[in-house]
Amino acid sequence: MHWKKQIVIGLIAVLCFGLVACSPEKSKEKEVTVVLDWTPNTNHTGLYVAQAKKYFQEAGLKVRIIQPGKSTAEQLVASGKADFGVSYQEGVTQARVVGVPIVSIAAVIQHNTSGFASLSTSGIVSPKDMEGKEYGGFGSPVEKAMIQSLMKKENGDINKVKITNIGSTDFLTALKQGIDFYWIYYGWQGVEAEQKGLKLNMIYLSDQAKELDYYTPVLITSESKIKQESSTVKSFMQAVSKGYQFAIDHPDEAADILVKQNPSLDSKLVHQSQKWLSSRYQADAKSWGVQKESVWSGYANWMKSHQLLDGQFDPKKAFTNDFIPQGGK
């Protein structure tokens, strides 16, 4: 009986050792970092939902969401200091032209929701009306080119627009400082302004020209990540797609999740923004995140025609639908 007892104890010990040895290997999560393009907002809701609902964990990932700081999302992803990032089509296009190998793996929002905003009392209802007005910008060459492009279609004169670089001054502050119009994303800044009782006129870029209906924002990774860790990219996109689908289907609950993980956000603003944006994540695409080559080539051609792009750009290499789980190919 004694030797039988020793054998049983021995078998139990071996079994326990096996469980201890194997268990961490089985449950070990791949650590990845996602860098945002700005402070947390409803463009990022799907990421925070995937975190809170444990979609990342189910996909075998331990995800850390960070803000960009001094380095941009494009720089951090390209250098390998972040695995994924939130960017925009223009940024990816310019990066690839100078040899930075980042790739867009999903369109967060299917159509461009940005445009030039002004108070309804400004009288700016078309690009021609920008004459004699003051634009508050952030100092990018694309701003003047964009305004000029829109005005030219209506025989407007860009030289009659005062363009003032106001840096990082926010929209509401800029209005108080006498700025007449400003480039915003309506789903956040526009909603915020109207919540404060301000009535706006919006000139949406997507309404002005087909090539201006570009993807902003997008999710990015590096070419090396795709080549060397495609399974990680696939797992990440499975979780993120579930996160954005949840935000599409349950905007109020998704807004609650975003606020809970970012308590400094204005809950009322988040809920209203989420309500406005949720139907626009996927819009008319066959599934969330899908991108079209024509959109990438169209905006690149527009940039070239306005001397904003110097070099060769291959739209086929700038994006991929290969990691979209639901009918992305």
Side-chain angles (χ1 to χ4, degrees):
M1 291 298 294
H2 180 69
W3 63 266
K4 284 183 181 180
K5 187 177 179 181
Q6 284 184 321
I7 290 174
V8 171
I9 291 171
L11 287 171
I12 291 172
V14 170
L15 180 60
C16 289
F17 177 79
L19 287 171
V20 170
C22 297
S23 198
E25 197 64 36
K26 255 184 170 182
S27 62
K28 188 176 182 182
E29 297 169 347
K30 170 77 174 176
E31 294 187 10
V32 299
T33 299
V34 184
V35 58
L36 304 181
D37 54 338
W38 199 245
T39 53
N41 57 68
T42 46
N43 283 348
H44 313 131
T45 303
L47 295 168
Y48 286 101
V49 169
Q51 188 85 288
K53 290 285 184 180
K54 299 188 176 179
Y55 297 153
F56 285 133
Q57 189 176 337
E58 291 167 6
L61 302 176
K62 184 177 181 181
V63 174
R64 187 165 64 106
I65 302 172
I66 63 171
Q67 293 179 42
K70 292 182 180 179
S71 298
T72 66
E74 295 81 15
Q75 291 169 333
L76 292 170
V77 170
S79 65
K81 292 178 181 177
D83 302 282
F84 303 96
V86 180
S87 182
Y88 56 110
Q89 186 173 325
E90 181 188 327
V92 175
T93 301
Q94 290 174 325
R96 292 202 63 88
V97 163
V98 296
V100 179
I102 56 176
V103 180
S104 174
I105 52 176
V108 174
I109 304 171
Q110 192 59 215
H111 295 284
N112 190 350
T113 61
S114 76
F116 293 104
S118 61
L119 291 174
S120 59
T121 53
S122 70
I124 304 174
V125 295
S126 73
K128 173 74 173 175
D129 298 327
M130 294 173 179
E131 288 186 351
K133 305 296 184 182
E134 184 174 1
Y135 169 73
F138 42 90
S140 169
V142 73
E143 295 172 281
K144 185 175 181 179
M146 189 67 75
I147 295 168
Q148 185 172 22
S149 171
L150 302 189
M151 293 184 73
K152 189 176 181 180
K153 289 171 61 180
E154 298 186 357
N155 297 315
D157 186 355
I158 183 69
N159 295 314
K160 294 181 180 179
V161 178
K162 182 181 179 182
I163 298 177
T164 303
N165 184 355
I166 59 174
S168 59
T169 303
D170 68 88
F171 178 44
L172 297 178
T173 302
L175 291 176
K176 291 176 183 176
Q177 293 175 350
I179 293 298
D180 294 304
F181 66 108
Y182 191 101
W183 194 349
I184 70 168
Y185 286 93
Y186 179 82
W188 189 260
Q189 294 155 301
V191 169
E192 181 182 26
E194 295 195 338
Q195 275 192 342
K196 294 183 182 298
L198 302 176
K199 292 185 178 180
L200 302 180
N201 289 335
M202 282 294 301
I203 298 175
Y204 289 101
L205 299 187
S206 59
D207 292 338
Q208 299 298 309
K210 184 179 179 181
E211 61 267 26
L212 298 182
D213 191 13
Y214 53 86
Y215 300 122
T216 177
V218 297
L219 296 181
I220 61 170
T221 191
S222 63
E223 284 186 0
S224 60
K225 182 69 63 177
I226 289 174
K227 290 176 183 175
Q228 298 168 16
E229 298 182 50
S230 62
S231 61
T232 300
V233 180
K234 183 178 180 181
S235 297
F236 176 78
M237 281 301 298
Q238 284 177 335
V240 171
S241 295
K242 286 177 69 176
Y244 278 100
Q245 190 59 54
F246 184 92
I248 291 168
D249 297 335
H250 309 283
D252 278 335
E253 192 175 342
D256 287 336
I257 289 170
L258 180 60
V259 172
K260 187 174 181 180
Q261 295 193 68
N262 300 277
S264 62
L265 293 177
D266 180 334
S267 179
K268 185 180 176 183
L269 169 59
V270 171
H271 277 82
Q272 188 62 34
S273 172
Q274 196 66 63
K275 183 179 179 181
W276 188 88
L277 194 57
S278 286
S279 64
R280 291 170 169 82
Y281 287 132
Q282 181 176 336
D284 53 356
K286 58 185 175 181
S287 61
W288 174 84
V290 172
Q291 303 169 83
K292 296 177 182 176
E293 184 183 331
S294 59
V295 175
W296 281 89
S297 59
Y299 188 52
N301 291 337
W302 182 90
M303 292 175 71
K304 284 180 182 178
S305 68
H306 291 82
Q307 289 77 53
L308 296 169
L309 204 60
D310 185 18
Q312 294 299 312
F313 173 71
D314 185 350
K316 290 184 174 68
K317 293 183 178 179
F319 79 98
T320 179
N321 287 325
D322 288 351
F323 299 100
I324 303 291
Q326 301 168 3
K329 295 184 180 180

